[in-house]
Amino acid sequence: MTLAPPERRAPADANPHLLALIGRTPVAHIRTDLPHRHPGFWAKLECLSAGGMKARAAMSMLTGARRRGELRPGAPVVESTSGTMGIGLAFAGQTLGHPVVLVGDTELEPSMRQLLRTYGARLELVDRPAAQGGWQAARISRLREVLARTEGAYWPDQYNNPDNPAGYRAMAAELIGQLDHLDVLVCSVGTGGHSAGLVGPLRRRWPRLKVIGVDSVGSAIFGQPARPRLMRGLGSSIHPGNVRHGVFDEVHWVGPAEAVDACRRLARGSFVSGGWSTGAVALVSAWAARAEPGAVVATVFPDGPHRYLGTVYDDDYCLAHGLTTTPVATRPLEISHPHTAEAFGWVRCRTVVDPVGASAAGRVPVPGGAV
């Protein structure tokens, strides 16, 4: 008996003209009080690029896989996501002609589920976190099940794929063309992609560039213990291979209340805002601009506010989670080493370590942030 080959999507399903919608985003000079006055910093507005910042990485990963023959024309793409990379992959899938299956979890906002499905992605949701590794580990376990039953499927593995950082080289070139000088770069850290992709080219242009990493409280990336996190798209319960710990001069952990406060101040004061990552990097960028008068500070706002209308900008949600009822930190508390204290609010550390294999003994809780 002769078996027919599996049906594949025709190349006509691709929409290569969408490539023109990625990148070339402007920078804005932000002067809004966050929460105090500051000299201002530059923010690259990735909300004005189709698919947001992660579309750059998604296109890089899929085109790299196609070039190597790992992703065949019309084959499915399967990835784990907390939302933002999902939008980027939905964009890349439409552009290149690949169906996209996204493994999320029940913490994914209903509006984000609707948005991803609207863009043509199929969702698989896990309903409980893993005992070790939380939601991310649970999603990866389900992802492997989906891969096993989906013929020809490709997993980009955004946390460990070197094509993820490579996708941000064009952003680095754009920043070099937009800024006459740069002293401090502030990067949110999740998969580690955009910080790893930006720092090399920017330091070749400005060798004395200082790099500040911004993480979420409850994230394991920089040596803190993993615990449930309210903020999504920032931080990780696992140790992404794309994070280059050695490029950072210091790290700040920011809590959700500080991020919400910064997002709302941005929206009211500059008509430019976003989600958890945007609020966190804006807060730290404003602090850096105050702490180093005369320094040129820049950061990246990964996306806009629209997917966060039911969380960051929803009064009932914020009230229910205690995000708008208690004073937020106006400057960070400092710790000497990530292993000496556990951050529950805005905390700064000038010792940056790669936590893989490191001991977490001896931590004491630190509420974080001086108000």
Side-chain angles (χ1 to χ4, degrees):
M1 182 174 66
T2 302
L3 297 178
E7 181 180 354
R8 300 204 177 277
R9 293 172 63 131
D13 289 337
N15 295 290
H17 64 279
L18 294 176
L19 280 172
L21 303 179
I22 290 185
R24 295 174 294 280
T25 53
V27 293
H29 198 240
I30 306 297
R31 296 288 302 273
T32 303
D33 295 354
L34 292 167
H36 304 301
R37 289 188 177 183
H38 57 92
F41 61 89
W42 294 98
K44 192 151 178 62
L45 305 183
E46 289 293 283
C47 63
L48 299 180
S49 176
M53 179 179 77
K54 295 296 182 73
R56 297 181 188 255
M59 284 298 304
S60 178
M61 290 189 293
L62 297 197
T63 55
R66 284 163 61 101
R67 186 172 58 250
R68 294 185 297 271
E70 299 167 3
L71 173 61
R72 292 181 289 177
V77 174
V78 181
E79 181 59 290
S80 162
T81 182
S82 61
T84 308
M85 180 59 81
I87 293 177
L89 283 170
F91 176 89
Q94 284 197 31
T95 303
L96 299 173
H98 295 278
V100 174
V101 181
L102 300 172
V103 180
D105 56 63
T106 50
E107 296 292 300
L108 191 65
E109 306 94 327
S111 60
M112 175 54 69
R113 301 183 203 181
Q114 294 167 0
L115 186 61
L116 291 170
R117 291 185 178 116
T118 298
Y119 285 141
R122 179 165 69 85
L123 292 184
E124 292 254 352
L125 300 179
V126 297
D127 59 7
R128 65 185 64 185
Q132 297 293 326
W135 287 113
Q136 284 170 300
R139 294 198 304 262
I140 295 298
S141 178
R142 175 69 65 83
L143 181 147
R144 295 186 187 281
E145 295 174 8
V146 175
L147 287 173
R149 67 174 188 257
T150 309
E151 184 179 358
Y154 171 72
W155 174 27
D157 190 10
Q158 59 173 308
Y159 294 98
N160 301 292
N161 189 333
D163 288 330
N164 179 342
Y168 296 102
R169 290 172 186 159
M171 181 191 286
E174 291 169 24
L175 283 167
I176 289 170
Q178 290 168 320
L179 301 174
D180 294 329
H181 183 71
L182 184 59
D183 296 297
V184 181
L185 177 68
V186 178
C187 291
S188 60
V189 185
T191 69
H194 91 278
S195 55
L198 291 180
V199 172
L202 294 183
R203 276 198 170 137
R204 284 192 289 273
R205 178 65 179 86
W206 296 295
R208 298 173 64 86
L209 179 68
K210 178 179 180 178
V211 180
I212 300 176
V214 181
D215 199 3
S216 166
V217 297
S219 165
I221 292 176
F222 291 99
Q224 290 278 299
R227 63 176 191 269
R229 303 187 312 280
L230 193 62
M231 297 196 285
R232 301 178 71 80
L234 179 69
S236 177
S237 300
I238 60 177
H239 300 295
N242 280 329
V243 177
R244 299 290 180 261
H245 295 83
V247 307
F248 297 100
D249 295 283
E250 61 183 77
V251 61
H252 290 232
W253 293 273
V254 175
E258 287 93 4
V260 163
D261 181 72
C263 283
R264 291 179 170 219
R265 287 176 182 272
L266 283 171
R268 291 193 302 268
S270 59
F271 208 80
V272 170
S273 193
W276 304 108
S277 297
T278 293
V281 296
L283 178 69
V284 175
S285 296
W287 170 87
R290 291 194 303 270
E292 302 189 33
V296 178
V297 179
T299 191
V300 179
F301 287 179
D303 57 9
H306 305 92
R307 64 166 285 199
Y308 307 96
L309 297 180
T311 53
V312 172
Y313 302 97
D314 185 275
D315 290 340
D316 292 336
Y317 175 92
C318 290
L319 183 64
H321 290 86
L323 302 179
T324 51
T325 55
T326 56
V328 298
T330 58
R331 63 184 185 274
L333 291 177
E334 296 204 27
I335 60 176
S336 60
H337 193 281
H339 292 174
T340 61
E342 185 173 352
F344 287 86
W346 186 10
V347 170
R348 175 195 185 200
C349 185
R350 284 179 278 187
T351 300
V352 180
V353 299
D354 183 343
V356 176
S359 170
R363 287 193 184 92
V364 294
V366 173
V371 296

